[in-house]
Amino acid sequence: MRDVLDATPYDALLLLSFGGPEGPDDVIPFLENVTRGRGIPRERLKEVGEHYFLFGGVSPINDQNRALLDALRKDFADHGLDLPIYWGNRNWAPYLTDTLREMTADGHRRILVLATSAYASYSGCRQYRENLADSLAALEAEGLDLPKVDKLRHYFNHKGFLEPMIEGVVRSLADLPEDVRDGACIAFSTHSIPTASADTSGPVEGHGEGGAYVRQHLEVAGLIADAVRERTGVDHPWQLVYQSRSGAPHIPWLEPDICDHLQTLHESGAPAVVIAPIGFVSDHMEVLYDLDTEAKAKAEELNLPMRRSATVGADPRFAAAVRDLILERAATERGERPTPCALGTLGASHNLCPVGCCPARAPKPAAAGVDSPYA
């Protein structure tokens, strides 16, 4: 590589996230944005909104993203990487289209996108790409000269994403009472999705039971469990579990649910559990409500000692991983052959999503892929 801190041809980074309400008056409009086109009654939205009202109508995700922006800017400045960073959301302010319009007005022509989702799935990757295509279409309709937009690869097996979670599990185990610590189980938790979506996640050649979504999470869980064993000298039993199901009862979703799993652990005589939310970059509402509220209450009901380990959030090691991913992708775009950081057996993910990767529920244009209309 000519200069390891050379991000050319890219001239800006966009942090792309889900968004969340920042006050009680935002909750229902936010949920309407999230569920637009699905025909969900307003009364059902009010029920879901109660989760947010328990926390003052504020989702922690926006503050988490602000902290991540600060961490990224500090890391870039400390290492001499001159790359401005912007932030846009899919479902709440700052909205993605507004941010891309601002970036275009600022003269940026090659934009890299960091999505706050580490794994392959429709909702965790392709839907972000569809939103990018929608926003580019809106700017095109305004007569703007569109920038080229690329998305950073999945980073689930990057050391800088894994290391904070490993450390978090070790700390959580150490926080358990000594008499139950060595026998504690680890529940690696992620968002449940319909099994049909899981089965078609990732490239077509890997479609099948669970698809890339389940394989990638199992890889991360195994890597963390192995590292925890090396650091503590104890081989803790573990399982991948799911949370936050929101679909119709007749549609199969990934199981077991975290609360059902806690019941199973209790019945099997497990003395304690650490819940590790490996499917989430930060402590947003699914973590605060489904784990810190519902799962915690279930564990207390069962008299099962429980600790919840930290998400990656704005950890400096994750910020450094993002810098590494940027330099890797930039070097590739320049025709170089950098060595990607990817632990485990699955290797580094693709830079461009292939045709048929995490297919949409209905055909819809998606940016930053082989079939992008904005190549």
Side-chain angles (χ1 to χ4, degrees):
M1 299 175 68
R2 3 175 220 183
D3 180 351
V4 294
L5 295 184
D6 184 3
T8 56
Y10 298 105
D11 55 25
L13 176 70
L14 168 62
L15 175 65
L16 176 55
S17 194
F18 192 80
E22 301 204 73
D25 293 341
D26 296 344
V27 173
I28 299 302
F30 163 73
L31 292 174
E32 288 174 337
N33 287 345
V34 173
T35 61
R36 183 173 287 117
R38 300 185 200 173
I40 297 177
R42 190 176 177 84
E43 290 307 310
R44 172 58 182 153
L45 297 184
K46 289 180 179 178
E47 291 176 20
V48 176
E50 291 302 320
H51 298 178
Y52 291 91
F53 292 130
L54 286 174
F55 300 90
V58 178
S59 168
I61 192 170
N62 283 344
D63 278 345
Q64 291 274 337
N65 282 326
R66 292 183 183 103
L68 179 56
L69 287 167
D70 288 343
L72 290 170
R73 287 170 179 146
K74 182 180 187 305
D75 180 271
F76 290 9
D78 288 348
H79 293 86
L81 178 58
D82 184 16
L83 195 70
I85 309 172
Y86 294 73
W87 171 34
N89 289 325
R90 292 171 46 198
N91 299 296
W92 202 249
Y95 287 103
L96 170 59
T97 301
D98 295 336
T99 301
L100 278 176
R101 186 184 296 110
E102 177 187 2
M103 298 177 80
T104 300
D106 289 346
H108 297 298
R109 311 307 309 146
R110 291 293 302 271
I111 296 170
L112 263 178
V113 177
L114 168 66
T116 54
S117 176
Y119 302 87
S121 71
Y122 172 76
S123 57
C125 182
R126 184 173 178 95
Q127 195 168 17
Y128 282 83
R129 294 174 50 226
E130 290 177 356
N131 294 144
L132 282 167
D134 289 342
S135 294
L136 290 169
L139 299 188
E140 187 175 41
E142 296 172 11
L144 297 179
D145 187 14
L146 299 183
K148 187 177 188 305
V149 177
D150 290 327
K151 180 178 173 291
L152 287 171
R153 66 174 173 87
H154 301 303
Y155 46 83
F156 63 92
N157 55 0
H158 194 289
K159 182 179 179 180
F161 184 66
L162 289 165
E163 185 60 36
M165 293 191 290
I166 294 167
E167 189 175 278
V169 172
V170 171
R171 282 201 306 265
S172 294
L173 287 166
D175 191 49
L176 284 168
E178 188 174 357
D179 61 331
V180 298
R181 187 179 304 149
D182 286 353
C185 298
I186 306 173
F188 293 105
S189 188
T190 190
H191 208 301
S192 185
I193 62 175
T195 56
S197 294
D199 293 347
T200 56
S201 58
V204 172
E205 60 270 19
H207 288 180
E209 189 174 356
Y213 187 75
V214 171
R215 283 196 304 274
Q216 290 171 0
H217 280 88
L218 286 173
E219 178 91 329
V220 168
L223 287 167
I224 295 174
D226 288 347
V228 169
R229 182 180 64 252
E230 291 171 5
R231 297 182 192 192
T232 65
V234 180
D235 191 7
H236 292 274
W238 63 268
Q239 184 166 338
L240 178 63
V241 300
Y242 302 93
Q243 62 177 88
S244 312
R245 175 184 171 137
S246 59
H250 68 280
I251 297 176
W253 282 52
L254 293 173
E255 296 178 337
D257 174 78
I258 177 60
C259 288
D260 293 340
H261 181 63
L262 294 178
Q263 181 72 44
T264 300
L265 288 179
H266 171 68
E267 292 172 357
S268 69
V273 62
V274 167
I275 301 177
I278 61 173
F280 306 90
V281 173
S282 64
D283 288 7
H284 52 67
M285 189 53 64
E286 279 86 349
V287 175
L288 291 192
Y289 184 79
D290 297 328
L291 297 184
D292 293 352
T293 305
E294 282 196 331
K296 180 181 178 183
K298 182 65 174 179
E300 289 173 350
E301 172 194 323
L302 298 170
N303 198 28
L304 179 67
M306 184 203 99
R307 298 292 185 272
R308 197 268 289 176
S309 67
T311 52
V312 172
D315 191 286
R317 289 165 292 190
F318 181 47
V322 173
R323 170 169 43 87
D324 181 64
L325 290 165
I326 290 168
L327 297 174
E328 173 198 309
R329 180 62 181 274
T332 301
E333 289 295 306
R334 295 194 301 264
E336 300 168 23
R337 300 180 65 183
T339 301
C341 177
L343 304 184
T345 62
L346 295 181
S349 295
H350 47 261
N351 282 326
L352 283 175
C353 291
V355 175
C357 188
C358 303
R361 297 162 186 149
K364 190 175 181 182
V370 171
D371 55 354
S372 170
Y374 301 103

